[in-house]
Amino acid sequence: MNTTEILHSATARLTAAGIESARLDAEVLLAHVLNCRRLYLYVDADKNLNPAQVERFESLIRQRAEKIPTAYLTGQREFLGLNFAVTPDVLIPRPDTEILVQYAVEKLSALKDNVTFADIGTGSGAICVSILKYVKNACAVTVDISQNAINCAKFNAEKFGVDDRLKFYVGNLFEPLRGKKFHAIISNPPYIPTSDLTTLQDEVKREPSIALDGGEDGLNFYRRIVDAAPNFLCTGGFLAVEIGINQAQDVKNLFEKNFTDIKILKDLAGIERVVAGSSLP
Ligand code: GLN
């Protein structure tokens, strides 16, 4: 079979399995097997695949039809122009989170001295690694409760050459950071209400539930982070967190006790996605 034929039949199989992005996913997976860019699939549409390539592709299509996310099958996902390694131990970076990084990059770039920040619940490291990539005078620490997530974040930090400015801790939220102070604390914590976990898209159910489950009302981690963050911020430092749909007001209310100059930022889809505030003097 050539590239055109195999893509056609794989797209039909994925469509039948209820996958909306069937054609795109088939192309991404085939490009992965052939170790080429997607465009090349069109440039060389008559190219015949060898039996090993067909077998490898078939196996990936079978898994994708079972709703395993494409990013777990290829082991990578692009975030802010950087191709991050991902494993099933980490949440797949989403475009929703780009606004949080852009906000942090803007704010931290405006500070002159050596900037430090903490990323709480780092997962793949997409947030802290991309901030470090774009803010050259920054150093950071990153915490995750999962050793496997920290391993993935370390891999990405090395991949993008920022590992000399990043320290890694396995632990529960701020626990490993006692006595330290930062210019900023950034987090995309788990924020899905527990009872909603069963209603998520099949693909999202394949992601680690400890990266998604925000407790009964989805706000557990915000309560803990907003409470503890002032102890870890320099004067005038800021806290910025990603939030889920319809959580802006609740999270803003939590911020009001310990923070000033509170902002709610929308993502590219117009959804309120980030709450940020400065620590009280
Ligand atoms: N944005 C993710 C989702 O909607 C959730 C990420 C999180 O809980 N931090 O699936």
Side-chain angles (χ1 to χ4, degrees), residues 91 94 96 188-192 204 211-212 242:
L91 193 79
R94 290 152 163 69
D96 312 350
N188 173 17
Y191 55 63
I192 312 245
V204 182
L212 296 167
E242 179 172 320

Side-chain angles (χ1 to χ4, degrees), residues 100 118-122 127 143 171-175 177 184-191 210-211 213-214 218-233 238-243 251 254-259 275-277 279:
L100 176 64
D119 173 17
I120 305 297
T122 198
I127 293 176
V143 185
N172 196 347
L173 300 180
F174 293 94
E175 177 193 66
L177 306 182
I185 292 165
I186 317 288
S187 184
N188 173 17
Y191 55 63
I210 56 163
D213 187 349
L219 303 175
N220 273 5
F221 289 93
Y222 300 117
R223 289 192 190 90
R224 293 170 62 189
I225 290 171
V226 170
D227 227 37
N231 301 325
F232 297 90
L233 282 171
F238 70 94
L239 168 66
V241 295
E242 179 172 320
I243 53 164
V251 175
L254 291 174
F255 267 59
E256 249 141 30
K257 192 171 102 206
N258 290 340
F259 291 87
V275 176
S279 67

Side-chain angles (χ1 to χ4, degrees), residues 259-281:
F259 291 87
T260 169
D261 192 20
I262 301 164
K263 291 188 170 54
I264 297 173
L265 311 175
K266 290 184 178 165
D267 67 16
L268 297 175
I271 295 168
E272 292 175 330
R273 190 54 76 189
V274 168
V275 176
S278 302
S279 67
L280 292 167

Side-chain angles (χ1 to χ4, degrees), residues 5 11 35 52 54 115 123 130 159 162-163 189-190 193 198 218 220-221 242 245 250 255 272:
E5 292 159 349
T11 303
N35 197 18
V54 173
V115 174
S130 48
K159 178 172 181 186
V162 300
D163 50 309
T198 52
N220 273 5
F221 289 93
E242 179 172 320
I245 290 173
D250 288 337
F255 267 59
E272 292 175 330

Side-chain angles (χ1 to χ4, degrees), residues 1-116:
M1 280 211 275
N2 67 25
T3 305
T4 305
E5 292 159 349
I6 202 164
L7 272 179
H8 188 76
S9 83
T11 303
R13 276 171 63 192
L14 294 183
T15 304
I19 290 174
E20 277 173 33
S21 51
R23 174 76 193 191
L24 173 65
D25 291 0
E27 288 182 8
V28 168
L29 292 171
L30 188 56
H32 178 65
V33 168
L34 300 180
N35 197 18
C36 68
R37 308 220 313 206
R38 256 174 66 216
L39 178 66
Y40 176 82
L41 303 175
Y42 289 92
V43 175
D44 220 353
D46 297 333
K47 180 188 160 79
N48 280 310
L49 277 70
N50 69 39
Q53 289 169 332
V54 173
E55 197 179 314
R56 175 100 187 92
F57 181 63
E58 291 289 316
S59 148
L60 292 174
I61 292 296
R62 242 189 333 271
Q63 295 177 73
R64 184 67 194 96
E66 284 164 18
K67 306 291 172 73
I68 298 181
T70 307
Y72 288 157
L73 296 173
T74 60
Q76 50 196 333
R77 171 55 56 91
E78 193 191 306
F79 179 78
L80 280 172
L82 304 172
N83 208 7
F84 281 89
V86 294
T87 71
D89 294 306
V90 301
L91 193 79
I92 298 166
R94 290 152 163 69
D96 312 350
T97 306
E98 292 183 353
I99 186 74
L100 176 64
V101 171
Q102 280 162 5
Y103 178 76
V105 167
E106 243 166 64
K107 292 270 292 185
L108 292 172
S109 301
L111 301 176
K112 291 284 169 287
D113 35 323
N114 294 332
V115 174
T116 60

